[in-house]
Amino acid sequence: MTDDVVIAGVGMHPFGRFPGLSLKDLARVASIRALVDAGIGVKDVQAAYAANAMGGLLQGQEMVRGQTVLREIGIDRIPVVNVENACAGGSSALAQAVLTVRAGAADVVLAVGFEKMFVAELSRTLDALESAADLDVVRGLGIQFTAIYAMRLRRLIAEGTLTMDDIVEVSVKSHANGALNPNAQHRKPVTAEQVRGARPIADPLTLLMCSSICDGAAAAVVARRGALEAAGRPTVRVVASQGASGFTARPEGETTLSTLCAEKAYDEAGLGPADIDVAEVHDAMAPAELLYAEHLGFCPPGGVSEFFRSGATRLDGSLPMNPSGGLSSRGHPVGATGLAQIAELVWQLRGEAGPRQVARPRIALAQNSGGWLEGESAAGNVHILERTEAWD
Amino acid sequence: MTDDVVIAGVGMHPFGRFPGLSLKDLARVASIRALVDAGIGVKDVQAAYAANAMGGLLQGQEMVRGQTVLREIGIDRIPVVNVENACAGGSSALAQAVLTVRAGAADVVLAVGFEKMFVAELSRTLDALESAADLDVVRGLGIQFTAIYAMRLRRLIAEGTLTMDDIVEVSVKSHANGALNPNAQHRKPVTAEQVRGARPIADPLTLLMCSSICDGAAAAVVARRGALEAAGRPTVRVVASQGASGFTARPEGETTLSTLCAEKAYDEAGLGPADIDVAEVHDAMAPAELLYAEHLGFCPPGGVSEFFRSGATRLDGSLPMNPSGGLSSRGHPVGATGLAQIAELVWQLRGEAGPRQVARPRIALAQNSGGWLEGESAAGNVHILERTEAWD
């Protein structure tokens, strides 16, 4: 076993609407870019994990989704396993890749997530999204994620923990970051007025707060440290990989699933929230970033409004959150999201994030969650990455 | 890391047609039986993998299939990952469980596979099965697995490697074994005349040679050796867990995917085909057992007819194959099959297989394969299990 696992390369197909491209096209581009980034060829890959959430219901392709994609780049005769965990599928594929290296079963593993949500009929995409919850419970109720987030936010506003201003301003911040990201779906800065005035989705959420239907793919090469030639770039280690599923409705004040994953990850890494220099979190609706800031321990309980207003989470703040634009602006092609978070953090840690580069980060955290059952995420993962080399 | 991984418990829901039971009902029973067999409770499980192939297309439930099932038995706040690999999904879930223990990430892991193929419209099940291949290639061609196996068998008959008698007799053997298995779908012995005279499916295959549409579930508890209280029963170790995917069409004589997996597994275990005392192989059509006997090295190339006619593969032979009845008689609910093979082999190694018990086996091999792309399986796994205690 080795605990010394690195992300040797990352790649994305831009997120957005790509009517001319197939699911395979998207996945192929992200995979090849990750391999090129790692400085390796297809034949160097010893195992692969593929994450996709909706290909069965939207493209009709079940069972061997990863194989159909990966053979097109020449992946052959290595273990390929398809992983599904709703919106947390990408980080679950990453977690399996990390386990595979740690178990000594392979030195170089590809994890790729891909999704094509734009199909001819919008209603099919909405129906497919519904299957991120238990259909025996929710079928026909019409409860989408927007409604669930809206209910949480209304409660926090009613309690005085958050204001409508916070919810609007965090969305403005997300769009500002997304505007700096060439891989983002939504690349236009927006004003607070535009966010407030956008089409209402589920009060208090407006259109410009919500992630939207999206195509895209992202990939990462996970390797045993030392297995690949040094590429003359800073090394990015995986210092924590922790996941959980949370089913039972929780009484007041009990640990949320994202808190549970984060606590396990901090423990594994020997770090705490104060050590995190940059974070990508699961803001399927931009204001969710505020919820997760508290769940991850970035601010004291009840202190998120103050934390956010301090500017800490801006690109030039003390703990920039979602520099990529997050799910709400970078986009949220379900199976790809968890790996897009990793791509962004690797770029940030290496200093390759261009105009959205944050200042000399050493420790980065990715929080990805997916599905819901009885008021809690059905799956979640927290990964913590470390840049091992000092900044010049 | 520990290489010392055991199968601490196994369980099945019987295979067959269960119109009154849901997918969850099937999975719940198999999971609980595996836990009871391991002598543990739900709270002892530290991670879980769920395999299902067709729930998206047949039940509409994507993304969180395992979570919807496992929360019903009280699984909560542990990592749950959904694994899909067509007919090899069950063994892929097992492989991930083994990796998880080997990586030191958990000591006790549940792997469960479940499938409900009987739905109101047969055509939907057939369409869903088609997605085990690349739909961009096969959609609308109407090529089912039966046709692929039939073409292989016709060639072997034409070459003189197999006779029609062999193909019929191996089916008779499968049904005879299935008749002794209370968990089997088809539990009636059949005569050679009945097999020959059954409805033709794809020449030379008749109905009584083919696995059929089936509901069912199977589960295994994988544990670090020493993590669980000894149950006063023989210990079953996992001495090899090897998988691969095979995409590229192979020239004559080149290694098949099942041979590749077997060679890797023999290498890992430090064993060879001569050491195997009992095997479960992927006979989606009963005669496929004959193909796999050669691929796994149980007989010399071209020698399978002689090997089979010697009686070696019967329950009282030197290398009993598919004592459970195999896929063709025990049944083949896609995502469950790989774990049903493991359940059978664990029972055999412990001496708990009742009237189909083979004589004092010490080493057992399971070969599971799934999907197809360009004439080769899209995924395959070979596991080798060892009974560590001597027989009395």
Side-chain angles (χ1 to χ4, degrees):
Chain A
M1 185 178 86
T2 175
D3 282 331
D4 222 0
V5 176
V6 304
I7 309 287
V10 291
M12 282 180 67
H13 186 288
F15 287 6
R17 181 175 191 159
F18 300 99
L21 300 182
S22 71
L23 192 55
K24 288 178 184 172
D25 294 330
L26 302 169
R28 192 172 54 233
V29 169
S31 298
I32 290 175
R33 286 183 176 174
L35 297 181
V36 169
D37 188 47
I40 61 173
V42 169
K43 299 302 176 202
D44 297 313
V45 178
Q46 297 167 1
Y49 292 90
N52 170 268
M54 305 163 82
L57 292 174
L58 297 187
Q59 282 79 35
Q61 183 70 61
E62 279 275 7
M63 302 199 202
V64 291
R65 306 177 208 177
Q67 283 90 343
T68 65
V69 158
L70 292 170
R71 70 158 173 178
E72 299 213 340
I73 62 168
I75 293 278
D76 195 17
R77 308 211 137 196
I78 62 166
V80 175
V81 177
N82 299 287
V83 167
E84 206 179 359
N85 247 349
C87 309
S91 58
S92 294
L94 179 72
Q96 296 309 118
V98 171
L99 282 177
T100 302
V101 175
R102 287 186 175 170
D107 284 343
V108 179
V109 184
L110 176 67
V112 57
F114 44 91
E115 208 75 57
K116 189 166 176 64
M117 297 171 73
F118 280 108
V119 295
E121 309 87 29
L122 174 65
S123 64
R124 287 181 55 222
T125 302
L126 295 179
D127 283 350
L129 276 169
E130 198 178 44
S131 78
D134 186 340
L135 289 181
D136 290 349
V137 177
V138 304
R139 199 189 308 253
L141 292 182
I143 297 183
Q144 294 286 352
F145 281 94
T146 37
I148 298 166
Y149 279 104
M151 288 189 281
R152 287 184 189 161
L153 290 168
R154 286 174 74 154
R155 178 160 156 188
L156 290 168
I157 291 171
E159 290 172 354
T161 308
L162 286 177
T163 68
M164 192 66 196
D165 269 353
D166 297 331
I167 290 177
V168 169
E169 290 297 336
V170 74
S171 309
V172 172
K173 176 183 80 69
S174 294
H175 281 270
N177 292 354
L180 302 174
N181 185 353
N183 287 310
Q185 179 178 26
H186 301 298
R187 289 182 237 170
K188 282 189 192 158
V190 297
T191 64
E193 239 170 36
Q194 285 173 310
V195 172
R196 279 182 188 275
R199 178 153 65 86
I201 299 295
D203 184 47
L205 295 169
T206 70
L207 185 67
L208 288 175
M209 298 174 179
C210 302
S211 64
S212 48
I213 288 173
C214 190
D215 303 336
V221 175
V222 176
R224 181 173 59 74
R225 189 172 180 180
L228 300 179
E229 297 295 320
R233 268 190 313 212
T235 300
V236 177
R237 281 181 67 210
V238 180
V239 294
S241 174
Q242 293 288 338
S245 294
F247 308 142
T248 314
R250 299 291 161 181
E252 285 301 312
E254 203 176 329
T255 304
T256 67
L257 185 66
S258 40
T259 303
L260 173 69
C261 294
E263 286 176 349
K264 293 200 299 176
Y266 292 139
D267 188 51
E268 181 185 353
L271 298 170
D275 296 306
I276 306 302
D277 299 314
V278 58
E280 287 275 320
V281 306
H282 197 86
D283 65 327
M285 319 298 145
E289 182 180 307
L290 303 170
L291 310 182
Y292 291 125
E294 184 173 323
H295 294 176
L296 299 170
F298 296 165
C299 60
V304 67
S305 185
E306 187 180 352
F307 174 69
F308 173 68
R309 291 181 195 183
S310 77
T313 64
R314 302 169 63 93
L315 289 182
D316 60 357
S318 58
L319 204 173
M321 291 181 72
N322 290 329
S324 71
L327 282 63
S328 55
S329 292
R330 181 194 60 230
H332 181 29
V334 178
T337 288
L339 286 159
Q341 293 180 325
I342 297 300
E344 176 68 13
L345 294 178
V346 168
W347 290 324
Q348 291 286 351
L349 290 171
R350 287 194 203 140
E352 299 172 0
R356 62 189 193 286
Q357 179 66 47
V358 309
R360 305 162 68 86
R362 204 177 67 81
I363 306 288
L365 179 147
Q367 175 262 333
N368 185 206
S369 59
W372 67 282
L373 293 170
E374 297 181 22
E376 185 54 276
S377 301
N381 293 289
V382 168
H383 285 88
I384 301 178
L385 308 180
E386 176 196 36
R387 174 191 163 111
T388 58
E389 285 80 5
W391 284 82
D392 294 332
Chain B
M1 184 178 87
T2 175
D3 283 330
D4 224 358
V5 176
V6 304
I7 308 288
V10 291
M12 283 179 66
H13 186 287
F15 287 6
R17 181 175 190 158
F18 300 99
L21 299 182
S22 71
L23 193 55
K24 289 178 183 171
D25 293 331
L26 301 170
R28 191 171 56 233
V29 169
S31 298
I32 291 174
R33 286 183 177 173
L35 298 180
V36 169
D37 188 47
I40 62 174
V42 168
K43 299 301 175 202
D44 297 312
V45 178
Q46 297 167 1
Y49 292 91
N52 172 266
M54 305 163 83
L57 293 174
L58 297 187
Q59 282 80 35
Q61 183 70 59
E62 280 275 9
M63 302 199 203
V64 292
R65 307 177 207 177
Q67 283 89 342
T68 64
V69 158
L70 292 171
R71 71 159 173 177
E72 300 214 340
I73 62 168
I75 293 277
D76 195 16
R77 309 213 135 196
I78 62 165
V80 174
V81 177
N82 298 287
V83 167
E84 206 180 359
N85 249 348
C87 309
S91 57
S92 294
L94 179 72
Q96 296 308 117
V98 170
L99 281 177
T100 303
V101 175
R102 286 187 177 170
D107 285 344
V108 179
V109 184
L110 176 67
V112 58
F114 43 91
E115 208 74 56
K116 188 165 178 66
M117 298 171 72
F118 280 107
V119 295
E121 312 86 31
L122 175 64
S123 64
R124 288 182 55 221
T125 302
L126 295 179
D127 284 349
L129 276 170
E130 198 178 44
S131 79
D134 185 341
L135 288 181
D136 290 348
V137 177
V138 304
R139 200 191 305 255
L141 293 182
I143 297 183
Q144 293 286 352
F145 281 94
T146 37
I148 297 166
Y149 279 105
M151 288 189 281
R152 286 183 188 162
L153 292 168
R154 286 173 75 154
R155 176 159 157 188
L156 290 168
I157 291 171
E159 290 171 353
T161 308
L162 285 177
T163 67
M164 192 65 197
D165 267 355
D166 296 331
I167 290 176
V168 169
E169 288 298 336
V170 75
S171 308
V172 171
K173 176 183 80 70
S174 293
H175 281 270
N177 291 355
L180 301 174
N181 184 354
N183 287 310
Q185 179 177 26
H186 301 297
R187 288 183 236 168
K188 281 189 192 159
V190 296
T191 64
E193 238 168 38
Q194 285 173 312
V195 173
R196 280 182 186 274
R199 178 153 64 86
I201 299 297
D203 183 47
L205 294 168
T206 70
L207 184 67
L208 289 175
M209 298 174 179
C210 301
S211 64
S212 46
I213 288 171
C214 190
D215 302 337
V221 175
V222 176
R224 182 172 59 75
R225 191 172 179 180
L228 300 179
E229 296 295 321
R233 267 191 312 209
T235 299
V236 176
R237 281 182 66 211
V238 179
V239 293
S241 174
Q242 293 288 338
S245 294
F247 309 140
T248 315
R250 297 295 160 178
E252 285 302 312
E254 204 176 328
T255 304
T256 66
L257 184 68
S258 40
T259 304
L260 173 70
C261 294
E263 285 176 349
K264 293 200 301 177
Y266 292 141
D267 188 51
E268 181 184 353
L271 298 170
D275 297 306
I276 307 302
D277 298 316
V278 58
E280 286 276 320
V281 305
H282 197 84
D283 66 326
M285 319 298 145
E289 183 180 308
L290 303 170
L291 310 183
Y292 290 125
E294 184 173 321
H295 294 176
L296 299 170
F298 295 166
C299 60
V304 67
S305 184
E306 189 181 349
F307 174 69
F308 174 68
R309 290 181 195 182
S310 77
T313 64
R314 302 170 63 94
L315 290 182
D316 60 356
S318 57
L319 204 173
M321 291 181 72
N322 289 330
S324 70
L327 282 63
S328 55
S329 291
R330 182 195 59 230
H332 181 30
V334 177
T337 288
L339 287 159
Q341 292 180 326
I342 297 299
E344 177 69 13
L345 294 178
V346 167
W347 290 326
Q348 291 286 352
L349 290 171
R350 286 193 202 141
E352 299 173 0
R356 64 188 191 286
Q357 179 66 47
V358 308
R360 304 160 68 88
R362 203 177 67 82
I363 307 288
L365 180 148
Q367 175 263 333
N368 187 205
S369 60
W372 67 282
L373 293 170
E374 299 181 22
E376 184 54 276
S377 301
N381 293 289
V382 168
H383 285 87
I384 302 178
L385 309 180
E386 176 195 35
R387 174 191 163 112
T388 58
E389 286 80 6
W391 283 84
D392 294 330

